[in-house]
Amino acid sequence: PPAPPNVMIIFGAGGDLTKRKLIPSLYHLWAAGLLPESFVMLGLDRLDHDDDSFRSRISEHLHQTYGTAFNLDAWRQLEERIHYMKLDMLEGSEYERLCENLSRIDAERGTEGNYLFYLAIPPSMFRPVTDHLGEVGLLHETEDDWRRVIIEKPFGRDLESAIALNADLHRNMDEEQIYRIDHYLGKETVQNIMVFRFANSFIEPLWNRNHIDHVQITVAESVGVEHRGAYYEEAGALRDMMPNHLLVLLGFLAMEPPNSFDAKAIRDEVNKVLDAVEPLTPEQVLTHAVRGQYSAGTMPDGEQVKAFRTSAGVQPNSSTETFAAVKLTMDNWRWAGVPFYLRTGKRLTAQYTEVAIHFKKAPTIMFQDTEVNELEGDMLVLRIQPNEGIQMSFGAKVPGPTMKIGTVNMDFCYEDYFGNKPATGYETLIYDCMKGDATLFKHADTVEKGWEIVQSVIDVWAALPPREFPNYAAGTWGPAAAGDMIKRDGRQWRRIE
Ligand code: BG6
């Protein structure tokens, strides 16, 4: 069913996120009949635009993206619901005009005073913008209407600043009005972790320390820092990815079955997992965490890539990491003694996000004299992106007169079953927010717990500047030390083809 009537107000409508993700998501939602007739998108930014020039800028982008598959009828209907307003977001006196504009839209379009404010702006603007919205009463809900605010990461840059940011937001809103987006929660394959675990009976009995040896979570990117050198120089790989996206994966993988699909039930289980993760002591950071930075190199497609330190916005002697790997353990009944190895980095060999569950070896007494061509043992791989799917690797008899065992793969690909539906990952999140369903959004406590887990790594790395940067060539799988970390435990990173 379509979402209730509402106005979605985008702060930062002139930016990349609006063009690349938000508008395409609205277009997909409209085409799927999930937006209400009484819907308006109001874009706000400093750029000089009127409705027409703003619309044509967007439609040009959509034309380019979809080519002949562009559903022009759907776009025409959505387009007439898109408006633009030039606004200096940091100027409090401008917000009266915004109020007037919204009241007019309500009267003309029947949007009933329901407002979704989407803050696609730098974090330093979160507080002034929400303060100004609060001052003019736009965050005040009544029994007849709702006011919600979506904010994008980064939610602070460490535990302390995350707590301060949450306190700032709470000055003008209740927690229930705040929808913190982590776009990993919008990915079908991430949501499917819960379905795979809890809607099937065969997997859950194995999902614990009795059967699982260890888990590897890899978010490898082949891209560099693109146009975000200045942001990335401040953030680095750990802050950019670990307390948020990688811990989303860890949370869904490790959680206990929630009592329902209710937002609170799921959040409570994820929070329990995060509480059970043992924070690294400063000594452990030295052995359980590895950082890297890429130098110039050649990507597999032959592209010559320059070193991170030469990127725009990055210091020539930067000590920012573009790769981070961490070994985490959990102090709870299900996972005691099972290491979770997490790694992420830029300019690695391939673009690849996956979870590999390595099962314990079977007692192979029966096959002790058998030639075993076993590469990695029994393993389940959840391919988050690209080539979304699930792969089970196990041993099989190699046909022939002698007994030989080789590893084979059973493979499920989303595309084979469900086709290739274009989606940005934001559709579900925007639709859920309009319906008031916060299941796939982060609450303040989850964000803060994420930072707690990585805080000791942040502190130790800040106190001990890296001596050997850069320490991996672009186009490789990261620094050798990451391999050493897992080898010390008698294991190895899964080789991704
Ligand atoms: C963002 C990070 O949150 O996630 C980027 O800031 C990163 O640095 C991106 O590239 C990865 O997202 P995805 O969906 O491509 O895995």
Side-chain angles (χ1 to χ4, degrees):
N6 73 88
V7 188
M8 176 166 163
I9 303 110
I10 302 183
F11 286 78
D16 262 12
L17 184 76
T18 304
K19 191 168 79 179
R20 285 179 29 217
K21 305 279 189 190
L22 304 184
I23 303 280
S25 308
L26 292 176
Y27 160 70
H28 293 149
L29 285 171
W30 182 267
L34 294 175
L35 291 181
E37 280 295 317
S38 300
F39 171 73
V40 169
M41 190 225 104
L42 175 64
L44 308 178
D45 216 320
R46 271 176 317 187
L47 309 173
D48 277 318
H49 270 303
D50 54 22
D51 288 353
D52 283 342
S53 65
F54 184 66
R55 289 171 183 172
S56 59
R57 178 171 173 269
I58 303 168
S59 88
E60 214 171 281
H61 177 73
L62 293 174
H63 268 292
Q64 275 169 12
T65 312
Y66 298 100
T68 52
F70 191 33
N71 179 343
L72 212 63
D73 284 346
W75 170 242
R76 292 266 171 267
Q77 292 165 8
L78 178 62
E79 190 182 46
E80 64 177 44
R81 293 171 164 80
I82 293 181
H83 295 278
Y84 181 83
M85 180 179 172
K86 183 177 171 185
L87 182 104
D88 181 350
M89 296 175 243
L90 296 177
E91 186 48 65
S93 59
E94 300 259 287
Y95 284 67
E96 287 298 343
R97 270 197 314 123
L98 177 60
C99 281
E100 287 161 19
N101 208 346
L102 287 171
S103 303
R104 197 176 43 77
I105 291 173
D106 283 338
E108 287 174 9
R109 304 292 193 110
T111 39
E112 300 182 4
N114 296 328
Y115 305 149
L116 191 177
F117 298 99
Y118 199 117
L119 306 193
I121 46 178
S124 59
M125 292 172 73
F126 291 164
R127 173 159 176 183
V129 166
T130 49
D131 276 352
H132 294 323
L133 287 173
E135 281 154 19
V136 294
L138 282 174
L139 296 176
H140 180 69
E141 297 185 306
T142 67
E143 285 198 349
D144 302 322
D145 56 34
W146 49 258
R147 307 289 159 87
R148 298 177 189 141
V149 177
I150 295 188
I151 64 169
E152 281 278 341
K153 69 174 264 271
F155 312 116
R157 51 176 285 107
D158 53 18
L159 178 58
E160 195 186 337
S161 55
I163 292 173
L165 172 60
N166 284 331
D168 281 349
L169 295 173
H170 289 148
R171 283 155 46 95
N172 294 294
M173 287 171 278
D174 291 335
E175 179 64 22
E176 282 60 42
Q177 292 175 273
I178 307 171
Y179 286 69
R180 296 176 192 78
I181 275 209
D182 182 319
H183 77 284
Y184 266 57
L185 286 163
K187 291 185 193 286
E188 292 288 344
T189 42
V190 174
Q191 295 167 29
N192 191 49
I193 296 175
M194 274 195 285
V195 177
F196 183 64
R197 288 189 54 199
F198 303 133
N200 299 304
S201 64
F202 70 97
I203 198 74
E204 201 48 27
L206 304 178
W207 210 257
N208 56 53
R209 71 186 138 82
N210 297 328
H211 301 280
I212 293 178
D213 177 72
H214 74 285
V215 176
Q216 298 183 12
I217 302 178
T218 299
V219 181
E221 296 191 272
S222 53
V223 293
V225 291
E226 298 174 294
H227 304 296
R228 301 156 71 224
Y231 153 75
Y232 201 84
E233 168 76 350
E234 285 296 309
L238 183 85
R239 285 191 172 90
D240 189 41
M241 303 293 289
M242 286 260 182
N244 32 65
H245 307 328
L246 276 86
L247 290 187
V248 162
L249 296 173
L250 179 96
F252 280 7
L253 288 167
M255 76 199 299
E256 294 302 318
N259 288 341
S260 70
F261 204 67
D262 169 71
K264 185 171 179 312
I266 292 182
R267 175 167 55 110
D268 286 351
E269 294 305 336
V270 167
N271 283 351
K272 275 197 236 164
V273 169
L274 300 181
D275 281 337
V277 173
E278 297 171 292
L280 301 181
T281 63
E283 293 73 31
Q284 282 174 326
V285 171
L286 303 177
T287 49
H288 291 28
V290 170
R291 59 187 150 167
Q293 186 194 73
Y294 66 84
S295 60
T298 311
M299 300 303 290
D301 64 0
E303 188 195 352
Q304 299 289 323
V305 168
K306 290 196 184 140
F308 170 68
R309 286 180 174 178
T310 65
S311 312
V314 173
Q315 298 294 325
N317 58 350
S318 169
S319 54
T320 298
E321 81 284 353
T322 59
F323 176 98
V326 179
K327 171 185 167 181
L328 297 175
T329 48
M330 268 168 267
D331 189 11
N332 63 15
W333 187 260
R334 187 187 285 261
W335 297 114
V338 180
F340 281 65
Y341 300 94
L342 283 56
R343 62 176 168 165
T344 183
K346 300 274 186 201
R347 286 295 185 208
L348 300 180
T349 319
Q351 190 80 19
Y352 207 87
T353 297
E354 67 155 45
V355 174
I357 317 284
H358 292 253
F359 290 94
K360 289 193 166 159
K361 288 206 176 6
T364 46
I365 308 154
M366 186 179 153
F367 299 114
Q368 52 190 332
D369 300 324
T370 307
E371 188 183 327
V372 179
N373 169 22
E374 194 183 31
L375 300 171
E376 292 169 299
D378 302 351
M379 180 178 61
L380 182 75
V381 179
L382 309 179
R383 289 195 304 267
I384 306 297
Q385 65 185 27
N387 188 17
E388 290 79 0
I390 298 179
Q391 165 193 328
M392 181 81 220
S393 304
F394 54 92
K397 180 178 178 305
V398 180
T402 57
M403 180 57 100
K404 270 194 207 164
I405 298 178
T407 301
V408 296
N409 294 326
M410 219 155 58
D411 211 335
F412 150 67
C413 289
Y414 274 74
E415 200 177 342
D416 296 346
Y417 283 78
F418 305 119
N420 194 0
K421 291 207 189 91
T424 63
Y426 279 74
E427 290 81 359
T428 317
L429 298 174
I430 293 173
Y431 177 64
D432 281 359
C433 177
M434 288 175 179
K435 288 189 311 170
D437 180 349
T439 310
L440 296 173
F441 291 86
K442 287 192 162 174
H443 277 234
D445 48 5
T446 312
V447 167
E448 290 169 17
K449 285 176 199 299
W451 284 112
E452 269 169 41
I453 290 172
V454 298
Q455 190 62 49
S456 62
V457 184
I458 292 178
D459 292 343
V460 171
W461 284 1
L464 301 175
R467 261 177 287 149
E468 291 163 354
F469 272 10
N471 60 354
Y472 71 97
T476 65
W477 277 114
D484 298 341
M485 174 177 90
I486 188 166
K487 259 188 225 136
R488 278 197 296 274
D489 295 345
R491 304 185 174 102
Q492 58 183 20
W493 291 109
R494 188 173 109 74
R495 259 196 52 216
I496 297 162
E497 305 299 338

